[in-house]
Amino acid sequence: MPEYSTEQNLRLAQQMLDQQGQINDLTSERDTAQAALDRVRALADSWAKAGPPPLGVSMARWWDKRLADLHNAIQPADQTTEN
């Protein structure tokens, strides 16, 4: 087993901590994306069950509601946007 100096050990430890931070960030992003995907799939299922708009309902209003629901499924109101 090779011998490392204290400086090399510290550098390796820092690299490991940096990589663990990157892994944690990617895991968090994956979980967020999976949650959004689950919400969109549930929304699509509810739309399929609801069927077409009832007669006499404005198509524009019907689509507006669908688009608003989709927006909220992709990015819920409690989620802050990062700039």
Side-chain angles (χ1 to χ4, degrees):
M1 185 172 213
E3 293 291 323
Y4 294 106
S5 69
T6 303
E7 182 180 317
Q8 288 173 321
N9 284 336
L10 290 173
R11 194 171 341 119
L12 288 172
Q14 185 60 48
Q15 287 174 348
M16 289 175 62
L17 287 173
D18 291 345
Q19 289 175 348
Q20 185 61 44
Q22 291 172 351
I23 290 169
N24 290 343
D25 291 345
L26 291 173
T27 301
S28 176
E29 289 177 22
R30 183 207 59 211
D31 293 345
T32 301
Q34 185 62 47
L37 183 59
D38 292 343
R39 290 189 302 271
V40 169
R41 284 183 176 152
L43 183 61
D45 289 344
S46 72
W47 287 348
K49 289 177 186 173
L55 289 176
V57 171
S58 166
M59 284 294 286
R61 297 282 182 213
W62 186 78
W63 275 112
D64 286 347
K65 180 168 181 351
R66 293 284 197 266
L67 291 173
D69 291 344
L70 180 60
H71 176 270
N72 292 334
I74 293 171
Q75 186 169 5
D78 64 344
Q79 213 176 38
T80 58
T81 57
E82 295 178 9
N83 291 337

